């Protein structure tokens, strides 16, 4: 038959509309339970023979196998240059109804004994994520699949009778195809924290089919992105109508460990919202920036960050300029490094190093490159692209103490803050000299006092107004005492 008037509602290369011919050839033995075979077009073929419990083979995009399998049931082999994951998932979804146990719930001669899928391109939303080979067999109560290719390596277990039917364990996952490529930096100190200042496209809707996703867990030993390695990552998820919850969620980046949860939920029929909670603990925050390929604006011995953020759209549509939430930060024993990069200024607590050097508070002869600190702590809220402190951010340095209080417009990249500086001053050093540019001398006297005894007899507090672009803000004296 040419099947000319038949519609085959499957993705390419099997599907076809009415009016398009597709040759079908079937060959039967007339004896009861005899062998039979068939071909559909030039790409799909199958055959069946009785005996040994019945054995069948089907192949797509391959030549007919030279030998028969040793086990009973059907052996399926498929090679497709490109697999559209969403299209095939939709097409095969009806077959999952009633799946229970080994062989996909089929009994007797219909059971599947072995499955292999090979593709050069696993496609999601018209993007090629990489090559993939899936091979496995049914086991008692479900399936075990081996996964390999340029995209990932690992195993997947499916047990529909368990509370968490899916268990995915990967030794590696390559993110280059999953995440959009970052633009080339405009300077040697480029980097934008994964587009944190950019406004993403219109928030996407949450797919209605997501609620059918079985609950499960994911473990990844190593993640690769643009030649960099980080991890491990561990997560568990559960789906409900109009909501996907990932909890617990844990990721290691350099010396930093992040733990928390993420919720993606529908916000009407055409939009969605993502909420995240993260607790970050560990050593050097700069090691996490290195793992993400960002400019290292800070180096420190201890890091503690508690944050809650929400943004319109899917989890991958994160952008600070459209997020809201709050952050609490505590850093110990480190230094700010001055880098000419937007993301470096953001992570470097709004380019503190640059501000202090503009006030001639340059302790580089004592602290080395950058501005050293013993402790940094503060809370802030984020709303409408504006980061506003809740009480002053306190920076305790080796030679003095600073506070920052105010707001930062992340979209316009502008500061509106009050900078306070507490300095030790000798009675022999006029306050006017300190204000005019002698804080460096105050810092030197502080070090001298530590080395040689009581050289200081009072401290002073100077307040500055800091406004304008964070690359070159206007700094004006407000008061001194």
């Amino acid at each position: 038959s040419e099947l000319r008037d038949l519609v085959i509602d499957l993705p390419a290369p099997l599907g076809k509309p009415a009016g398009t011919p597709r040759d079908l050839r079937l060959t039967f033995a007339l004896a009861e339970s005899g062998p039979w075979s068939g071909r559909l077009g030039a790409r799909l073929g199958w055959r069946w023979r009785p005996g040994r419990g019945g054995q069948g083979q089907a192949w797509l995009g391959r030549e007919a196998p030279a030998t028969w399998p040793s086990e009973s049931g059907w052996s399926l082999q498929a090679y497709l240059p490109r697999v559209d994951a969403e299209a095939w998932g939709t097409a095969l979804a009806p077959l999952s109804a009633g799946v229970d146990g080994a062989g996909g719930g089929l009994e007797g001669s219909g059971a599947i004994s072995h499955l292999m899928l090979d593709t050069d391109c696993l496609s999601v939303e018209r993007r090629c994520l990489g090559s993939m080979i899936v091979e496995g067999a049914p086991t008692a109560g479900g399936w075990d699949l081996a996964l390999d290719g340029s995209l990932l390596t690992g195993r997947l277990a499916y047990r529909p009778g368990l509370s968490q039917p899916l268990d995915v364990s990967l030794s590696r996952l390559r993110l280059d195809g999953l995440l959009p490529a970052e633009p080339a930096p405009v300077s040697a100190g480029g980097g934008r924290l994964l587009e944190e200042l950019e406004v993403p496209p219109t928030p996407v809707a949450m797919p209605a089919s997501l609620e059918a996703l079985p609950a499960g867990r994911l473990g990844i030993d190593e993640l690769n992105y643009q030649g960099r390695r980080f991890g491990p990552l561990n997560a568990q998820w559960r789906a409900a109508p109009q909501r996907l919850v990932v909890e617990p969620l844990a990721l290691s980046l350099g010396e930093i460990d992040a733990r928390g949860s993420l919720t993606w939920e529908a916000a009407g029929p055409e939009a969605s919202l993502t909420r995240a909670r993260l607790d970050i603990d560990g050593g050097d925050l700069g090691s996490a920036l290195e793992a993400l390929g960002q400019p290292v604006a800070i180096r420190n011995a201890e890091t503690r960050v508690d944050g809650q953020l929400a943004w319109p759209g899917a989890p991958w549509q994160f952008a600070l300029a459209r997020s809201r939430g709050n952050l609490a930060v505590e850093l110990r024993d480190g230094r700010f490094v001055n880098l000419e990069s937007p993301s470096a200024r953001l992570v470097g607590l709004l380019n503190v190093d640059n501000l202090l050097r503009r006030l001639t508070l340059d302790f580089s002869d004592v602290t080395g490159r950058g501005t050293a600190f013993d402790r940094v702590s503060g809370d802030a809220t984020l709303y409408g692209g504006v980061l506003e402190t809740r009480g002053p951010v306190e920076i305790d340095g080796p030679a003095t103490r600073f506070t920052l209080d105010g707001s930062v417009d992340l979209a316009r990249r502008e500061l509106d803050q009050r900078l306070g500086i507490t300095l030790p001053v000798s009675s022999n050093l006029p306050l006017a000299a300190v204000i005019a540019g002698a804080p460096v001398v105050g810092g030197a006297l502080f070090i001298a006092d530590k080395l040689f005894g009581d050289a200081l007899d009072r401290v002073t507090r100077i307040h500055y107004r800091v406004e304008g672009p964070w690359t070159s803000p206007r700094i004006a004296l407000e008061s001194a005492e």
Side-chain angles (χ1 to χ4, degrees):
S1 173
E2 289 186 335
L3 303 179
R4 185 176 296 273
D5 295 325
L6 182 71
V7 174
I8 301 179
D9 191 13
L10 288 172
L14 296 183
K16 81 173 195 69
T20 301
R22 179 74 58 80
D23 290 338
L24 171 67
R25 178 181 292 272
L26 299 175
T27 303
F28 295 91
L30 296 181
E32 184 178 356
S33 300
W36 61 284
S37 62
R39 290 198 68 91
L40 178 64
R43 299 181 63 86
L44 177 63
W46 62 93
R47 63 190 182 192
W48 172 263
R49 69 177 183 178
R52 297 189 180 184
Q55 293 177 312
Q57 292 177 304
W59 56 94
L60 173 63
R62 297 286 194 190
E63 295 296 326
T67 60
W68 286 85
S70 58
E71 65 272 12
S72 61
W74 281 94
S75 175
L76 309 180
Q77 301 180 35
Y79 167 74
L80 293 172
R82 189 180 188 95
V83 172
D84 187 324
E86 184 177 3
W88 277 103
T90 301
L92 298 179
L95 299 181
S96 64
V99 169
D100 185 16
L106 302 175
E107 299 296 334
S109 63
I112 298 174
S113 60
H114 183 264
L115 170 69
M116 186 178 76
L117 169 64
D118 185 0
T119 181
D120 299 325
C121 174
L122 179 65
S123 176
V124 176
E125 296 183 347
R126 299 183 180 181
R127 289 190 295 115
C128 183
L129 304 185
S131 65
M132 174 76 78
I133 299 176
V134 179
E135 185 172 9
T139 61
W143 281 84
D144 278 338
L145 300 175
L147 312 173
D148 198 9
S150 65
L151 176 62
L152 55 83
T153 300
R155 303 194 67 84
L156 181 150
Y158 177 57
R159 304 288 187 271
L162 300 181
S163 59
Q164 286 188 329
L166 280 176
D167 188 346
V168 183
S169 179
L170 305 180
S171 58
R172 65 171 181 85
L173 173 65
R174 185 172 62 88
L175 297 176
D176 296 76
L178 297 174
L179 299 177
E182 295 183 45
V186 297
S187 67
R192 291 189 291 179
L193 284 181
L194 302 179
E195 304 294 323
E196 86 285 353
L197 298 177
E198 302 298 324
V199 177
T202 302
V204 300
M206 186 174 182
S209 59
L210 199 60
E211 67 181 75
L213 176 68
R217 64 169 295 276
L218 170 66
I220 305 175
D221 295 334
E222 179 181 282
L223 295 104
N224 299 314
Y225 183 61
Q226 295 186 350
R228 297 180 297 274
R229 299 179 180 180
F230 50 94
L233 180 145
N234 291 281
Q236 298 183 31
W237 71 85
R238 61 185 184 275
Q242 299 187 327
R243 177 176 295 182
L244 176 68
V245 178
V246 181
E247 185 180 19
L249 173 64
L251 174 64
S252 295
L253 293 167
E255 300 178 13
I256 298 298
D257 294 321
R259 293 177 174 82
S261 63
L262 185 144
T263 301
W264 184 22
E265 56 191 6
E270 299 181 355
S272 63
L273 175 71
T274 299
R275 293 181 287 109
R277 177 187 59 80
L278 283 179
D279 297 329
I280 299 175
D281 287 288
D284 182 16
L285 182 59
S287 66
L289 297 174
E290 283 180 324
L292 294 172
Q294 298 300 315
V296 178
I298 191 171
R299 290 292 190 184
N300 64 298
E302 297 181 33
T303 299
R304 171 71 183 175
V305 179
D306 297 327
Q308 297 182 12
L309 291 174
W311 60 92
W316 58 87
Q317 292 187 298
F318 169 76
L320 281 176
R322 295 181 62 174
S323 301
R324 64 179 185 272
N326 56 77
L327 296 169
V329 179
E330 183 170 350
L331 311 173
R332 290 185 179 274
D333 299 330
R335 58 184 170 85
F336 295 109
V337 180
N338 185 54
L339 296 176
E340 293 305 315
S341 151
S343 59
R345 296 186 190 103
L346 183 64
V347 175
L349 284 180
L350 319 175
N351 211 14
V352 168
D353 184 57
N354 184 45
L355 289 178
L356 300 183
R357 288 191 303 111
R358 287 170 62 86
L359 291 170
T360 70
L361 293 170
D362 188 352
F363 301 107
S364 58
D365 58 329
V366 177
T367 62
R369 186 169 62 94
T371 300
F373 61 83
D374 296 327
R375 179 176 176 270
V376 175
S377 62
D379 297 341
T381 59
L382 178 65
Y383 188 83
V386 176
L387 185 69
E388 186 169 355
T389 60
R390 294 188 300 175
V393 176
E394 299 179 351
I395 307 169
D396 295 321
T400 188
R401 181 173 181 270
F402 318 105
T403 59
L404 281 169
D405 198 2
S407 63
V408 185
D409 191 319
L410 299 175
R412 299 172 62 185
R413 303 181 185 182
E414 290 188 349
L415 305 177
D416 183 6
Q417 295 192 323
R418 194 170 190 243
L419 171 65
I421 302 175
T422 302
L423 282 167
V425 180
S426 168
S427 58
N428 297 321
L429 181 66
L431 178 60
V434 175
I435 298 174
V440 175
V441 178
L445 288 174
F446 179 83
I447 300 298
D449 178 62
K450 293 294 184 183
L451 294 175
F452 305 114
D454 295 332
L456 311 176
D457 49 27
R458 65 191 181 98
V459 297
T460 189
R461 184 113 178 121
I462 311 173
H463 296 283
Y464 296 90
R465 195 70 191 175
V466 182
E467 297 177 305
W470 67 30
T471 54
S472 55
R474 299 180 299 276
I475 302 176
L477 175 67
E478 272 196 345
S479 62
E481 56 188 49

